[in-house]
Amino acid sequence: MSFFKKLFGTAAKEEVTMSKLNIGIILGSTRQGRVSPQVGQWIKEIADQRGDANYEIVDISDYNLPFLGTTDGSEPGIAAWNQKLGELDGFVFIVQEYNHSITGALKNAIDFARDAWNNKAAGIVSYGSTGGARAAEHLRGILGELLVADVRVHPTLSLFTDFENGSVFKPQALHLDNVNAMLDQVVAWSGALKTLR
């Protein structure tokens, strides 16, 4: 008997598999010249070939979020951001490392929601001089506070070997297995956690 059936029973599994899960690929940078759209598109192309969920790119720059605490919170982008997160069952964060952590824009966007994150799963794809590992570790701590279960498999991309001149994304083929293993976990955990919401 599968782990899923043991934990949630056959009826729960059938209910979750009747409709595909919605997984958002969140671009974690807003700066000019960013490479996160290239990485996000690469992940989406791999994910779409799987056919196991509905994947979409969610760009935080599209929401024009103000700095948290500097306005009355009535900007339409805040409500739209929370609505979009509420429609998603899981996430893949595209994370770049800045000063050993995530970008301020991503932290700000994360803090503009609370309940919309709860009881969902997330994978992390990071990049930087050390593969973005330190940023990913910081993000894991933040996600835990928001009741987001981050999966173990973590594709790391190097600015030295996966990007040409630091601006053109050319991933090594060896990353494909890690990306698919990460997506396997995100989809499985997102389905399991959906039964809690």
Side-chain angles (χ1 to χ4, degrees):
M1 181 178 279
S2 73
F3 171 76
F4 194 102
K5 286 183 181 178
K6 286 180 187 174
L7 189 59
F8 299 103
T10 304
K13 181 180 180 186
E14 289 171 358
E15 181 181 329
V16 170
T17 56
M18 283 175 60
S19 61
K20 287 187 178 179
L21 298 169
N22 297 311
I23 308 295
I25 300 167
I26 298 180
L27 305 185
S29 175
T30 59
R31 71 173 178 82
Q32 291 295 316
R34 62 194 175 138
V35 295
S36 58
Q38 295 176 61
V39 179
Q41 187 59 43
W42 174 67
I43 294 295
K44 187 174 187 309
E45 288 169 5
I46 295 168
D48 285 345
Q49 291 176 17
R50 298 163 53 91
D52 57 354
N54 300 314
Y55 296 92
E56 66 175 296
I57 292 176
V58 180
D59 189 343
I60 59 176
S61 70
D62 290 342
Y63 295 87
N64 298 313
L65 298 170
F67 284 116
L68 186 68
T70 62
T71 70
D72 64 3
S74 62
E75 289 83 356
I78 298 171
W81 171 243
N82 277 269
Q83 179 179 344
K84 172 51 64 181
L85 295 177
E87 295 168 358
L88 299 171
D89 299 302
F91 314 99
V92 175
F93 287 89
I94 308 301
V95 179
Q96 40 287 95
E97 185 170 311
Y98 284 81
N99 297 320
H100 291 204
S101 191
I102 61 174
T103 65
L106 178 57
K107 180 63 166 69
N108 188 61
I110 289 171
D111 290 345
F112 260 112
R114 183 127 195 122
D115 293 344
W117 297 114
N118 294 174
N119 295 317
K120 297 180 182 180
I124 300 171
V125 177
S126 65
Y127 59 91
S129 60
T130 59
R134 296 167 295 202
E137 286 308 305
H138 277 195
L139 180 57
R140 288 182 193 280
I142 296 164
L143 295 178
E145 179 64 19
L146 295 168
L147 301 180
V148 178
D150 56 290
V151 304
R152 183 175 184 272
V153 178
H154 167 207
T156 58
L157 307 168
S158 170
L159 287 176
F160 304 114
T161 58
D162 295 303
F163 295 85
E164 187 175 278
N165 299 321
S167 61
V168 179
F169 183 47
K170 294 189 174 179
Q172 297 180 80
L174 60 88
H175 296 300
L176 186 60
D177 287 345
N178 267 350
V179 170
N180 275 305
M182 179 266 299
L183 292 172
D184 285 344
Q185 293 181 353
V186 169
V187 170
W189 286 26
S190 295
L193 288 168
K194 188 170 185 177
T195 65
L196 300 179
R197 298 196 308 277

